[in-house]
Amino acid sequence: MKWRCGVCGYIHDGPEAPNVCPKCGAPKEKFEKLAEEQANLVDRSRLSNDLHMQLSALLDKALEIAEKGIQDNLDPACVKIFTRTKECATQLKQSIKAEIVTHISKGKWG
Ligand SMILES: [Zn+2]
Protein backbone atom coordinates (compact mmCIF):
# COMPACT_ATOMS: atom_id res chain seq x y z
CA MET A 1 0.00 0.00 0.00
CA LYS A 2 1.03 3.56 -0.61
CA TRP A 3 0.16 6.68 1.35
CA ARG A 4 0.55 10.26 0.24
CA CYS A 5 1.11 13.17 2.60
CA GLY A 6 -1.63 15.70 1.89
CA VAL A 7 0.67 18.54 2.93
CA CYS A 8 3.88 17.89 0.96
CA GLY A 9 3.15 14.94 -1.36
CA TYR A 10 5.66 12.52 0.24
CA ILE A 11 4.82 8.91 -0.70
CA HIS A 12 5.16 6.24 2.00
CA ASP A 13 5.18 2.51 1.24
CA GLY A 14 3.75 0.27 3.95
CA PRO A 15 0.62 -1.30 5.46
CA GLU A 16 -0.09 1.94 7.36
CA ALA A 17 0.70 5.63 7.05
CA PRO A 18 3.70 6.76 9.12
CA ASN A 19 2.99 8.50 12.45
CA VAL A 20 4.75 11.61 11.20
CA CYS A 21 5.68 12.63 7.65
CA PRO A 22 9.49 12.22 7.33
CA LYS A 23 9.65 15.21 5.02
CA CYS A 24 7.37 17.88 6.51
CA GLY A 25 6.40 16.54 9.94
CA ALA A 26 2.64 16.43 9.23
CA PRO A 27 0.70 13.97 11.45
CA LYS A 28 -0.58 10.56 10.29
CA GLU A 29 -4.11 11.93 9.72
CA LYS A 30 -2.82 14.04 6.86
CA PHE A 31 -1.93 10.92 4.83
CA GLU A 32 -4.34 9.49 2.29
CA LYS A 33 -4.17 5.98 0.86
CA LEU A 34 -3.49 5.91 -2.87
CA ALA A 35 -5.97 4.05 -5.04
CA GLU A 36 -4.54 0.81 -6.50
CA GLU A 37 -4.30 2.24 -10.00
CA GLN A 38 -2.43 5.28 -8.73
CA ALA A 39 -0.08 3.13 -6.62
CA ASN A 40 0.62 0.92 -9.65
CA LEU A 41 1.54 3.96 -11.76
CA VAL A 42 4.00 5.06 -9.08
CA ASP A 43 5.54 1.56 -8.89
CA ARG A 44 5.73 1.23 -12.66
CA SER A 45 7.48 4.59 -13.12
CA ARG A 46 9.98 4.57 -10.24
CA LEU A 47 12.79 2.90 -12.23
CA SER A 48 12.33 5.23 -15.19
CA ASN A 49 12.32 8.30 -12.93
CA ASP A 50 15.51 7.14 -11.21
CA LEU A 51 17.14 6.53 -14.60
CA HIS A 52 16.15 10.02 -15.75
CA MET A 53 17.76 11.53 -12.64
CA GLN A 54 20.94 9.46 -13.09
CA LEU A 55 21.13 10.51 -16.73
CA SER A 56 20.63 14.16 -15.79
CA ALA A 57 23.55 13.93 -13.33
CA LEU A 58 25.76 12.41 -16.06
CA LEU A 59 24.75 15.20 -18.42
CA ASP A 60 25.87 17.73 -15.79
CA LYS A 61 29.27 16.05 -15.87
CA ALA A 62 29.27 16.19 -19.70
CA LEU A 63 28.44 19.92 -19.55
CA GLU A 64 31.33 20.49 -17.14
CA ILE A 65 33.75 18.64 -19.44
CA ALA A 66 32.44 20.43 -22.55
CA GLU A 67 32.90 23.81 -20.85
CA LYS A 68 36.52 22.97 -20.02
CA GLY A 69 37.11 21.92 -23.64
CA ILE A 70 35.61 25.16 -24.95
CA GLN A 71 37.81 27.16 -22.58
CA ASP A 72 40.89 25.14 -23.61
CA ASN A 73 40.18 26.17 -27.22
CA LEU A 74 42.93 24.01 -28.78
CA ASP A 75 41.56 24.16 -32.32
CA PRO A 76 38.21 24.70 -34.11
CA ALA A 77 37.54 20.97 -34.58
CA CYS A 78 37.90 20.35 -30.83
CA VAL A 79 35.75 23.34 -29.92
CA LYS A 80 33.08 22.17 -32.38
CA ILE A 81 32.80 18.83 -30.58
CA PHE A 82 32.67 20.45 -27.15
CA THR A 83 30.11 23.00 -28.33
CA ARG A 84 27.92 20.26 -29.81
CA THR A 85 28.25 18.29 -26.58
CA LYS A 86 27.12 21.34 -24.63
CA GLU A 87 24.10 21.88 -26.90
CA CYS A 88 23.05 18.23 -26.90
CA ALA A 89 23.50 17.81 -23.14
CA THR A 90 21.50 20.99 -22.49
CA GLN A 91 18.66 19.85 -24.78
CA LEU A 92 18.61 16.39 -23.22
CA LYS A 93 18.52 17.84 -19.71
CA GLN A 94 15.59 20.08 -20.63
CA SER A 95 13.83 17.12 -22.29
CA ILE A 96 14.28 15.07 -19.12
CA LYS A 97 12.79 17.87 -17.04
CA ALA A 98 9.81 18.13 -19.39
CA GLU A 99 9.31 14.35 -19.22
CA ILE A 100 9.42 14.39 -15.43
CA VAL A 101 6.81 17.16 -15.35
CA THR A 102 4.63 14.91 -17.54
CA HIS A 103 5.17 11.99 -15.17
CA ILE A 104 4.18 14.09 -12.17
CA SER A 105 1.04 15.37 -13.88
CA LYS A 106 0.03 11.77 -14.70
CA GLY A 107 0.75 10.46 -11.20
CA LYS A 108 3.88 8.61 -12.36
CA TRP A 109 6.02 9.94 -9.55
CA GLY A 110 6.56 9.15 -5.89
ZN1 LIG B 1 4.63 15.72 4.35
Side-chain angles (χ1 to χ4, degrees):
M1 272 181 267
K2 292 192 187 340
W3 306 81
R4 177 187 285 135
C5 174
V7 176
C8 73
Y10 180 92
I11 304 280
H12 172 81
D13 291 78
E16 283 184 47
N19 288 327
V20 173
C21 176
K23 180 171 181 289
C24 74
K28 188 175 194 167
E29 303 77 60
K30 293 287 182 185
F31 276 82
E32 62 172 0
K33 189 177 156 189
L34 290 187
E36 194 179 334
E37 189 186 346
Q38 193 68 17
N40 288 342
L41 272 178
V42 170
D43 269 338
R44 178 60 193 86
S45 53
R46 275 181 173 167
L47 173 62
S48 182
N49 291 329
D50 283 346
L51 294 174
H52 279 299
M53 289 191 289
Q54 287 178 49
L55 192 54
S56 184
L58 277 176
L59 290 165
D60 280 336
K61 188 70 188 166
L63 284 169
E64 196 182 308
I65 292 167
E67 199 57 54
K68 282 181 189 167
I70 291 167
Q71 295 301 318
D72 182 45
N73 196 18
L74 179 64
D75 60 57
C78 288
V79 172
K80 187 177 174 189
I81 290 170
F82 295 129
T83 302
R84 277 182 58 208
T85 300
K86 187 177 173 179
E87 286 169 5
C88 291
T90 300
Q91 287 170 4
L92 285 169
K93 275 197 68 177
Q94 291 309 111
S95 298
I96 287 169
K97 287 176 196 167
E99 184 61 22
I100 286 172
V101 168
T102 303
H103 285 197
I104 291 168
S105 71
K106 290 180 179 171
K108 295 176 176 177
W109 190 268

